[in-house]
Amino acid sequence: MKHATSSGPYKVPKDHDGLRSAAMAVAMHAVLILFLWVGVHWQSNEPVAVEAEVWDMKVQEAAPPAPPAPEAEPEPAPEVKPPPAPVSPPDEVKPEPKAPDIALERLKARLKAEKEKQEELKKEQLKKEQLKKEQLKKEEEKQAKLKAEKEKAEKKKLEEQKAKEEQEKKEKKEQAEKKLKADKEAKAKLDKAAEKARAAEMSRITGAVGAGTSGTAAKSTGPRSDGGYEAAIRGKIKGNLVYSGTDDTLKASFHISQLPTGEIISVRKTKGSGNAAYDTAVENAIWKSSPLPKKKDGTVVRDFDTDFNMKDLH
């Protein structure tokens, strides 16, 4: 290559090594492709698209004209280095994944993650429902237990109440029996006292008759000589009568003995009405009426018979 003289303008030297420059360009592209392939396969993440811009070494722009330079010594010729040996391409170069394949893989991965998430949520929901069922079952068992205990307590309370009522009933029955026994004993004592009084009265009357009379003592058969006296006795007995029957044909007769004070000492039924309830009610009313009313002069009829008609006692 010849150089221009210092006296003339600068000119671009002609390219006499075009083949060598093309070979160097091809070698550089091969090395670049190799580095890209190795880098893609060594990376653990998804490959990314790489763009490479190829420059044509043949195209050169003309340098702008240099200003005139002072005269200088001619430069030595540039040292030409031998081209690097061509690098053989690898045995197999895998094609880079295309953008649609990458998007599909990402979509599959996202769908898989969503599916796994849905399965986890479903498992959590099933677990919550199972826990809720177990809690509901425990609550039902608790309520059933409380109900059974309540029923047991109520049953026990009823049994205790029933036993208490039975005891009270038994005690009342015993008291009634005791009272009835006491009443019978009292009545027996009154009857005995009445018999003694009657015997004493008869002895007195008999003694009086033997001492100064020659007739027999007339026995009173009822307060017939004094209508007011009889009415007073009937009125008091009627006030103590407790009977709910309505049969006006009932009639009962009783013999009554009393002390001079009006205290009744004996009641004896001489003729029944045919209705035991009515007869008992009249007898109880006679006993409740003791002492009986006296006459206007303060005396009483010791023994008398009287009839009790239902129609007269209304």
Side-chain angles (χ1 to χ4, degrees):
M1 181 182 294
K2 294 181 180 180
H3 296 277
T5 61
S6 59
S7 60
Y10 176 79
K11 294 181 180 180
V12 177
K14 293 182 180 180
D15 187 6
H16 299 283
D17 298 325
L19 182 60
R20 186 176 58 184
S21 300
M24 290 180 66
V26 171
M28 290 178 66
H29 282 79
V31 172
L32 179 61
I33 292 172
L34 178 62
F35 275 102
L36 290 174
W37 182 83
V38 172
V40 169
H41 284 274
W42 274 93
Q43 289 179 356
S44 60
N45 55 357
E46 296 181 354
V48 296
V50 178
E51 295 182 359
E53 188 173 328
V54 181
W55 293 79
D56 190 357
M57 301 299 295
K58 293 180 180 181
V59 180
Q60 295 181 358
E61 293 182 0
E71 295 182 0
E73 296 181 359
E75 296 180 359
E79 183 181 357
V80 179
K81 295 182 180 181
V87 180
S88 60
D91 295 339
E92 183 180 357
V93 178
K94 294 183 180 180
E96 297 180 2
K98 299 180 181 179
D101 295 337
I102 296 173
L104 182 60
E105 291 296 329
R106 290 179 178 176
L107 179 61
K108 288 181 179 179
R110 185 168 66 252
L111 292 176
K112 183 178 179 181
E114 291 179 355
K115 184 177 180 181
E116 291 177 353
K117 185 177 180 180
Q118 292 294 332
E119 289 178 353
E120 289 294 330
L121 291 175
K122 188 175 181 180
K123 289 180 180 179
E124 290 292 333
Q125 185 66 22
L126 291 174
K127 187 176 180 181
K128 289 180 180 180
E129 291 179 357
Q130 184 67 22
L131 182 61
K132 187 177 181 180
K133 288 181 180 180
E134 292 177 357
Q135 291 177 351
L136 182 61
K137 184 177 180 181
K138 289 181 180 179
E139 186 66 22
E140 290 177 352
E141 291 177 352
K142 182 179 179 181
Q143 293 295 332
K145 186 177 180 180
L146 291 175
K147 184 178 180 182
E149 291 177 353
K150 184 178 180 181
E151 291 177 352
K152 185 178 180 181
E154 291 179 352
K155 184 177 180 181
K156 184 178 180 181
K157 185 177 180 181
L158 290 174
E159 290 177 352
E160 291 177 352
Q161 183 68 22
K162 186 176 180 180
K164 184 178 179 181
E165 292 176 355
E166 291 291 336
Q167 183 65 24
E168 291 178 353
K169 187 177 180 180
K170 184 178 179 181
E171 291 177 356
K172 288 180 179 180
K173 184 177 180 181
E174 291 177 352
Q175 291 177 359
E177 291 177 351
K178 289 179 179 179
K179 184 178 180 181
L180 181 61
K181 184 178 179 181
D183 292 342
K184 287 182 178 180
E185 292 176 354
K187 185 179 179 181
K189 290 180 180 179
L190 290 174
D191 291 341
K192 188 175 181 181
E195 289 295 333
K196 289 182 179 180
R198 187 180 296 109
E201 183 69 12
M202 291 300 294
S203 298
R204 184 181 65 80
I205 294 172
T206 303
V209 170
T213 63
S214 57
T216 59
K219 183 179 179 181
S220 175
T221 59
R224 298 175 182 174
S225 59
D226 191 344
Y229 176 56
E230 181 179 358
I233 292 175
R234 288 181 177 275
K236 188 170 184 179
I237 294 174
K238 179 181 177 181
N240 293 319
L241 179 63
V242 180
Y243 182 71
S244 59
T246 58
D247 188 359
D248 291 341
T249 62
L250 297 178
K251 178 181 179 181
S253 301
F254 289 87
H255 179 83
I256 301 173
S257 298
Q258 60 180 334
L259 296 174
T261 57
E263 297 288 338
I264 297 175
I265 56 177
S266 68
V267 177
R268 180 169 54 86
K269 181 171 66 175
T270 57
K271 185 178 181 181
S273 63
N275 188 324
Y278 174 72
D279 295 345
T280 302
V282 173
E283 184 175 356
N284 291 335
I286 294 172
W287 280 107
K288 289 180 182 180
S289 300
S290 180
L292 295 174
K294 298 179 180 180
K295 295 181 179 181
K296 294 180 180 181
D297 57 3
T299 61
V300 299
V301 176
R302 299 291 184 88
D303 297 279
F304 62 92
D305 296 315
T306 183
D307 299 329
F308 293 93
N309 297 323
M310 182 65 185
K311 61 181 180 179
D312 296 333
L313 298 176
H314 286 319

